[in-house]
Every structure is written in structure tokens, then in C-alpha cells.
């Protein structure tokens, strides 16, 4: 094993925190491994074997590993949806699996072909359709899109949600969804990563945007400044330095206290605490229109 980073996260029905961690082996290929903790901070119980392993015989797009899971609880189905990146020789693609307990999985395989990643399902249907946020790359463009489906397998009605800015902006070059969107009365609160490329390399930081509850491609507010970026030595240095990359969060029963579990420098897993209301207030006061 080389490194553990970029975990998906959720609360199990008994309140246990579950992380589905990306584990990179010494070939450079990743699989997913579950870690469970009663308090979400320490005493993690880690599965002794990989929890979800690439299966390239059945799913050839998983040949070079599976990465960066985003977990969404779908109350309507009574299941957790795990959307992850499958790394195929053609590039990254979006795959989907369902589970009730993170021990057995029902795999759907690839749902969006390469080059596409940074995907997560919304927790409820929009009208009669499921909605999936993702980040296709075409040409030099790497923007956030949303697509719709009635059966979770076939996706269409693709709409642009948020564009990378240009030039010297912190979120120029590339943007992508980080953890799944957070449902709030004010709208879908989206934490996204922006990549700035300079002579020193890439810098991954996080920003906030708010989208309409009924029409989630409609951006209501977008912050100009990043809210979280690499500062600590373990975020600055590692296999890929200057990266903070959350794929999951848990929200306490108060509906406000939020814990982000994030990969630092593609090397370790870290925890940052915040408040949903504080993020919404920040956007209200300092967010511009997109
Ligand atoms: C992104 C993803 C992440 C990774 C980040 C920095 O494109 O592949 O898995 O953490 O790059 O290397």
C-alpha cells in the first residue's frame, strides 16, 4: 500500500461514521476500503480486505483502478449510491454501485464514459428524474455539468452548471464537484474544487456555490474567493502537493455541524469541521452571481 486519501463519507443508520477510502497500491492502482468509527474521529475499524475492488473482467473500464467515491443516501430506494471514478486506458469514467451495508454491492458499471469524473448523485429526484453532477472534459474545457435519468443507468438532458473562470482566478483551468451537494432550504450547497496552474504546478482549493432546489443547473450564488486551501505541511507536501480534496462529509443531527473528510496531498485523510449555516451566510454576504 502506498497511500490512503480522498474518502467518501456517510453516517450509517446507527450513527457510525463510515469512510470509503481510496487506497493506492504500489502499482499506482486504487481500490476502496471501508473504515468505521463510532465518533467519526478515532478508533477506526478498517476492513481487513478491500471493500470494493476493481473487477476489470466484468468492467474493463476499471482496469487501472477505482478512485474518489462519493456516497449519497437515497431514502426513496433505502440504499446508498456510491459513484466513483473508474480508471480505464481511455481515461477516467463514471461508475455507480449500490449498497445497504458497505459489505455487499450491486454494481451498475460505467454510467458515463471517459473523459469524465468528480460525479455524485443528488439525494432525491428532481421532478420525476434522478440528477447526477459530473465533470466531463472536452478540449480544454473542464466544467461542472448535470445530467438526468429516469432509471439511473441512462443519462441525458445534459446541462452546464458551473464554468471554470479564466486567467489569474483561483478556479481557472479546471473545476469539479468535491463532495455530493448539500440539500438546504436555500438551495443545493455545492463545495467545488478549483485548480490554478502556475509555474510551481497545480494548486487545488475549495469554493462555494448555491443552486436552485428545483432547477439545480441554475446557479444562485457563487463565491469569488476560495474558502479552504492547502496551508498545513501535510497539505502542502506529499505525493501530489498543494491538494485538499474532500469527497465526503457527515452532518450532525442538528442539521448544521458538518465534518468534511478530505485527502491531503494525495497522501493522507484529514478532517475539517464547519457549519452549513455559516457557509450559507458567507455566500449570502460575499457571494456574487455566477
Ligand atoms: C484530481 C483527482 C484526485 C486527485 C487530484 C490531485 O484530478 O484525480 O483524485 O486527488 O487530481 O492529484
Amino acid at each position: 500500500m502506498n497511500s490512503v486519501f480522498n474518502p467518501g463519507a456517510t453516517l450509517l443508520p446507527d450513527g457510525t461514521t463510515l469512510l470509503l477510502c481510496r487506497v493506492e497500491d504500489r502499482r499506482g492502482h486504487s481500490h476502496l476500503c471501508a473504515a468505521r468509527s463510532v465518533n467519526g474521529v478515532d478508533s477506526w475499524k478498517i476492513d481487513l480486505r478491500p471493500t470494493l475492488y476493481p473487477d476489470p473482467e466484468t468492467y474493463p473500464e476499471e482496469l487501472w483502478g477505482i478512485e474518489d467515491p462519493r456516497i449519497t443516501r437515497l431514502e426513496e430506494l433505502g440504499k446508498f449510491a456510491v459513484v466513483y471514478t473508474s480508471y480505464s486506458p481511455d481515461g477516467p469514467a463514471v461508475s455507480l454501485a449500490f449498497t445497504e451495508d458497505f459489505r455487499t454491492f450491486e454494481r451498475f458499471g460505467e454510467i458515463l464514459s471517459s473523459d469524465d469524473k468528480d460525479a455524485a448523485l443528488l439525494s432525491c429526484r428532481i421532478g420525476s428524474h434522478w440528477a447526477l453532477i459530473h465533470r466531463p472534459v472536452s478540449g480544454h474545457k473542464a466544467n461542472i455539468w448535470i445530467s438526468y435519468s429516469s432509471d439511473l443507468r441512462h443519462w441525458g438532458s445534459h446541462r452546464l452548471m458551473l464554468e471554470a473562470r479564466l486567467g489569474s482566478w483561483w478556479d481557472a483551468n479546471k473545476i469539479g464537484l468535491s463532495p455530493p451537494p448539500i440539500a438546504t432550504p436555500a438551495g443545493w450547497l455545492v463545495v467545488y474544487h478549483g485548480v490554478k496552474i502556475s509555474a510551481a504546478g497545480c494548486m487545488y482549493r475549495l469554493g462555494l456555490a448555491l443552486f436552485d432546489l428545483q432547477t439545480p443547473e441554475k446557479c444562485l450564488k457563487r463565491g469569488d474567493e476560495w474558502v479552504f486551501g492547502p496551508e498545513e505541511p501535510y497539505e502542502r507536501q506529499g505525493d501530489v502537493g498543494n491538494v485538499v480534496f474532500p469527497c465526503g462529509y457527515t452532518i450532525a443531527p442538528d442539521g448544521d455541524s458538518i465534518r468534511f473528510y478530505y485527502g491531503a496531498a494525495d497522501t493522507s485523510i484529514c478532517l475539517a469541521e464547519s457549519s452549513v449555516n455559516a457557509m450559507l451566510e458567507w455566500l449570502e454576504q460575499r457571494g456574487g452571481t455566477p
Side-chain angles (χ1 to χ4, degrees):
M1 200 269 287
N2 174 54
S3 52
V4 181
F5 56 111
N6 297 4
T10 195
L11 288 177
L12 298 176
D14 67 356
T16 300
T17 298
L18 177 131
L19 300 185
L20 195 57
C21 308
R22 171 176 170 188
V23 180
E24 189 186 83
D25 64 26
R26 291 172 70 106
R27 298 172 302 166
H29 299 188
S30 295
H31 62 265
L32 309 180
C33 192
R36 294 169 173 82
S37 163
V38 171
N39 64 12
V41 176
D42 56 20
S43 305
W44 295 94
K45 291 197 170 59
I46 301 166
D47 281 1
L48 296 177
R49 295 174 194 284
T51 309
L52 195 61
Y53 204 73
D55 178 10
E57 286 197 3
T58 315
Y59 304 102
E61 66 277 5
E62 299 182 2
L63 185 66
W64 291 345
I66 56 176
E67 307 179 347
D68 299 358
R70 273 82 168 187
I71 301 168
T72 303
R73 173 79 188 166
L74 303 182
E75 288 302 340
E76 182 188 323
L77 304 183
K79 292 177 183 173
F80 297 95
V82 183
V83 177
Y84 56 95
T85 304
S86 38
Y87 199 164
S88 81
D90 292 327
V94 176
S95 294
L96 171 65
F98 288 101
T99 186
E100 290 179 34
D101 54 8
F102 293 89
R103 298 190 195 283
T104 57
F105 293 83
E106 178 194 353
R107 292 165 95 121
F108 270 35
E110 181 179 293
I111 53 169
L112 289 173
S113 56
S114 63
D115 187 332
D116 209 332
K117 57 161 57 171
D118 297 330
L121 277 170
L122 269 58
S123 50
C124 59
R125 293 181 197 246
I126 304 300
S128 56
H129 285 73
W130 298 102
L132 180 80
I133 300 178
H134 57 113
R135 205 286 303 281
V137 173
S138 70
H140 295 296
K141 292 190 174 165
N143 299 318
I144 299 178
W145 289 70
I146 188 165
S147 301
Y148 294 91
S149 170
S150 54
D151 64 1
L152 292 159
R153 284 186 188 273
H154 305 96
W155 294 87
S157 303
H158 312 296
R159 309 251 192 275
L160 181 62
M161 259 185 112
L162 199 69
E163 281 188 280
R165 287 183 269 214
L166 299 170
S168 63
W169 281 95
W170 69 272
D171 56 355
N173 305 113
K174 284 199 285 189
I175 59 170
L177 179 73
S178 279
I182 303 161
T184 79
W188 295 100
L189 176 59
V190 164
V191 180
Y192 71 97
H193 56 270
V195 184
K196 179 161 181 169
I197 302 174
S198 71
C202 290
M203 176 77 82
Y204 280 71
R205 300 186 179 106
L206 302 174
L208 300 179
L210 188 69
F211 295 84
D212 187 79
L213 275 181
Q214 270 81 45
T215 315
E217 57 267 29
K218 185 172 162 203
C219 185
L220 306 173
K221 294 264 180 200
R222 180 183 194 172
D224 279 347
E225 300 179 357
W226 72 83
V227 292
F228 195 79
E231 290 174 7
E232 303 293 337
Y234 51 84
E235 298 163 341
R236 290 276 190 188
Q237 290 150 27
D239 276 8
V240 184
N242 293 317
V243 176
V244 288
F245 205 92
C247 289
Y249 56 77
T250 58
I251 298 178
D254 65 10
D256 182 45
S257 310
I258 184 164
R259 287 175 165 171
F260 290 101
Y261 295 89
Y262 66 98
D266 285 9
T267 300
S268 59
I269 291 175
C270 302
L271 168 56
E273 293 183 314
S274 186
S275 142
V276 174
N277 290 329
M279 289 190 284
L280 289 173
E281 273 166 34
W282 183 90
L283 267 176
E284 190 56 42
Q285 288 164 12
R286 302 180 59 174
T289 41

